[in-house]
Amino acid sequence: MSSSVSITRKKTLGSIKEVEDGKFCNLSVLDRVMEPFSLRIVLYYQFPANTDFTKLKKKFGISISYTLSAFTIVVGRLRPNPTPSEGHWHIKCNDAGVRTIEARAKCSLNEWLMSVTREKELELIYWDEMPNNPHLWSTFYVQLTEFEEGGFAVGLSCAHLLADATTATMFLKAWADSHLLRKLQSPPLFHPLPPRKPCTSNTENHEPYSDLISHYKSSIESISNSITASKGEEYSTITFAFSDEMVRKCIFEASSNSSPFAALAALFWVCISKVKGRNDGLINMCVCLDMRNVLGLGKEFFGNCMVFKKVSGDIGVVDKEAGLANAARAIQNVVCEMEEKERIMDLIEWLEKNSGTHRLFQPINGNDIICANWDKLDPYSAEFESGFNPVRASYHLGPVFGEGQVIILPSPKDSEKEGSMGRVVMVTLPKDEAAKLIEESLILNLSPNILMKS
């Protein structure tokens, strides 16, 4: 790839409807703990070579304005909350708009995908970090990049303080629906996290589950401790594509009772621990799961429902096979625990009582490697033009802290049958460790397709 992406235009787009004057939205405790993070997504499309991009981008501008009318928070701005007990920030829904960037790459999409790296891909997803005074700062950015021969990329970035990966994907899908169908199929729902439902049994003697609470408590109490976000050039992202057959083989080698997520998470947990020099156990890992189903919320819920749980690396890894099985079992046990609603409600209630006016400047996972289960996302249904689904989707959780991160995503629709266990795994590690990871025998035995590397 001989040249970088060049920005051709910047503008701000608002909604087509006026926002109610004086409207504010509070942020939940699950929103507030994600303040240190941002989310960056890019969807790649291959349109016909004779596509009129001038006309197409104008249509994109019209459709996003229509979409923003249903997403009032997206076009708002952060303001200090006059009620500190409800968090440091709230959103003023003033229709200040979304920053939109248009760009051009001097290569075809196929050429780009053949040699793309983490650094190059982030050029397709414009993002400005939150300034000290975010009065005018846009919490969402959109970037439209045209390639030669009909290639196109839609980039979306946002403050994780407002939206998680499920919400951001929902926004992209809603935008695609309004672009193609002129209507929103599933409008967003804006409401607080659900309260605990009264039980018939005596709840006065209920002892809160301490495991999740202890993890969040230690993170909040360590605000004064320094955890440094490493610079982007020190990290590499490798993207692995596993077919249905490969994932089934991984499950068989890990444990027949494992989910695709537990098996793949175990695979990379064991391999990453090895490249980091751990021979007497595994590094600690922090599992990230979407709690919408557990809390009885639909995908239309706007906000954050991601919850983190630490998995100790102090498990038996006498040999590779036993280590993989033990790792998968540990992950599966944690997933089962997090699917208990009472545990999540205990955490939410504790955060509401104890997070107070604290602003988290440190990640909730500390220095531990993150393993996020985002395989239920559906970015490949974001069809802006009839018959053209994304050929690839990438998700970046930034900035990268500590040991790195593993993000497990669904496979493109074209490559797998319905009900397939095929997955895409994006692994971000320090560059020297990333180079070693590709050579790990447990991964090589499955023969995944490598979509992106340094």
Side-chain angles (χ1 to χ4, degrees):
M1 204 179 307
S2 59
S3 62
S4 60
V5 175
S6 58
I7 293 175
T8 58
R9 187 180 183 187
K10 291 183 179 181
K11 57 185 177 180
T12 301
L13 295 175
S15 63
I16 61 173
K17 294 182 181 178
E18 290 187 8
V19 179
E20 177 185 343
D21 189 38
K23 182 178 180 180
F24 288 84
C25 291
N26 285 331
L27 299 167
S28 77
V29 286
L30 295 185
D31 291 325
R32 279 141 41 193
V33 296
M34 295 305 294
E35 182 172 346
F37 290 106
S38 61
L39 186 63
R40 299 168 78 171
I41 306 169
V42 61
L43 306 182
Y44 293 98
Y45 295 85
Q46 182 59 60
F47 297 135
N50 61 351
T51 297
D52 184 340
F53 280 120
T54 300
K55 183 178 179 180
L56 181 63
K57 286 185 286 189
K58 183 177 180 180
K59 186 179 176 184
F60 267 93
I62 294 171
S63 61
I64 195 172
S65 292
Y66 180 86
T67 307
L68 291 171
S69 299
F71 289 81
T72 52
I73 289 180
V74 173
V75 290
R77 294 293 184 266
L78 288 174
R79 295 288 185 273
N81 197 330
T83 309
S85 62
E86 296 178 354
H88 184 83
W89 302 112
H90 65 171
I91 306 297
K92 183 177 182 180
C93 303
N94 55 1
D95 196 17
V98 168
R99 301 279 194 265
T100 305
I101 288 83
E102 295 179 4
R104 184 177 293 114
K106 293 184 178 180
C107 64
S108 69
L109 179 58
N110 184 58
E111 291 170 331
W112 176 273
L113 294 178
M114 288 289 288
S115 56
V116 66
T117 62
R118 170 184 174 83
E119 290 79 7
K120 297 298 295 183
E121 187 161 75
L122 291 178
E123 291 184 29
L124 305 180
I125 322 167
Y126 187 91
W127 176 244
D128 276 337
E129 295 293 342
M130 184 195 297
N132 292 330
N133 181 4
H135 185 77
L136 300 176
W137 178 65
S138 180
T139 55
F140 281 74
Y141 290 82
V142 167
Q143 181 171 330
L144 304 175
T145 305
E146 60 180 275
F147 292 84
E148 296 174 357
E149 302 177 19
F152 199 73
V154 178
L156 175 71
S157 61
C158 65
H160 216 312
L161 178 67
L162 274 71
D164 60 17
T166 302
T167 290
T169 306
M170 172 186 66
F171 175 78
L172 285 167
K173 178 64 168 61
W175 182 13
D177 288 343
S178 66
H179 184 91
L180 183 64
L181 306 173
R182 295 290 181 180
K183 64 178 180 180
L184 298 183
Q185 298 287 79
S186 301
L189 297 177
F190 300 96
H191 54 73
L193 294 171
R196 190 192 300 271
K197 292 183 179 179
C199 299
T200 54
S201 59
N202 186 359
T203 59
E204 291 183 2
N205 298 322
H206 171 68
E207 282 290 331
Y209 291 99
S210 61
D211 47 1
L212 276 174
I213 292 173
S214 297
H215 174 66
Y216 279 74
K217 182 179 180 181
S218 63
S219 297
I220 291 173
E221 289 177 346
S222 66
I223 284 177
S224 59
N225 297 333
S226 176
I227 300 176
T228 304
S230 299
K231 295 180 181 180
E233 61 268 22
E234 297 176 351
Y235 276 80
S236 288
T237 296
I238 311 170
T239 302
F240 300 88
F242 292 86
S243 67
D244 176 85
E245 182 182 355
M246 294 172 192
V247 176
R248 290 182 188 276
K249 182 180 178 182
C250 185
I251 291 172
F252 177 78
E253 293 178 353
S255 167
S256 59
N257 295 323
S258 295
S259 66
F261 168 71
L264 288 170
L267 172 69
F268 284 97
W269 191 14
V270 170
C271 292
I272 291 171
S273 295
K274 183 179 177 183
V275 302
K276 288 182 179 289
R278 289 293 300 269
N279 296 315
D280 57 345
L282 303 178
I283 60 174
N284 290 332
M285 186 173 69
C286 201
V287 170
C288 171
L289 303 178
D290 188 344
M291 294 291 106
R292 281 171 173 77
N293 286 341
V294 176
L295 295 173
L297 299 168
K299 289 185 177 181
E300 297 79 17
F301 172 80
F302 189 100
N304 279 280
C305 271
M306 298 292 172
V307 172
F308 293 77
K309 174 76 164 61
K310 187 172 185 174
V311 190
S312 173
D314 186 19
I315 62 174
V317 287
V318 178
D319 54 62
K320 289 181 180 180
E321 288 71 21
L324 189 60
N326 289 341
R329 191 178 304 112
I331 294 166
Q332 195 70 45
N333 288 341
V334 165
V335 171
C336 290
E337 290 173 0
M338 293 176 72
E339 289 175 347
E340 296 179 22
K341 185 175 181 179
E342 289 301 306
R343 292 178 186 269
I344 307 304
M345 291 308 307
D346 285 344
L347 172 65
I348 291 172
E349 290 180 353
W350 184 88
L351 286 170
E352 288 174 342
K353 292 176 182 177
N354 293 277
S355 60
T357 59
H358 289 303
R359 285 182 66 195
L360 281 184
F361 298 98
Q362 318 279 333
I364 206 68
N365 61 296
N367 276 312
D368 297 336
I369 193 164
I370 291 175
C371 188
N373 184 10
W374 293 352
D375 63 5
K376 296 299 187 292
L377 301 178
D378 190 19
Y380 297 102
S381 65
E383 184 181 355
F384 285 93
E385 294 290 295
S386 182
F388 294 95
N389 297 94
V391 297
R392 190 182 297 182
S394 292
Y395 287 70
H396 296 271
L397 181 63
V400 181
F401 290 89
E403 299 281 10
Q405 57 189 231
V406 178
I407 299 176
I408 298 180
L409 300 163
S411 287
K413 288 187 174 181
D414 291 346
S415 64
E416 302 288 351
K417 297 178 182 178
E418 182 142 1
S420 167
M421 291 188 179
R423 298 292 188 270
V424 170
V425 183
M426 298 187 69
V427 183
T428 302
L429 295 172
K431 284 188 174 181
D432 60 332
E433 296 174 1
K436 295 177 184 177
L437 184 67
I438 299 178
E439 304 301 324
E440 274 299 301
S441 59
L442 280 176
I443 296 173
L444 290 175
N445 288 342
L446 296 173
S447 303
N449 184 21
I450 298 178
L451 304 180
M452 179 167 68
K453 61 182 179 179
S454 59

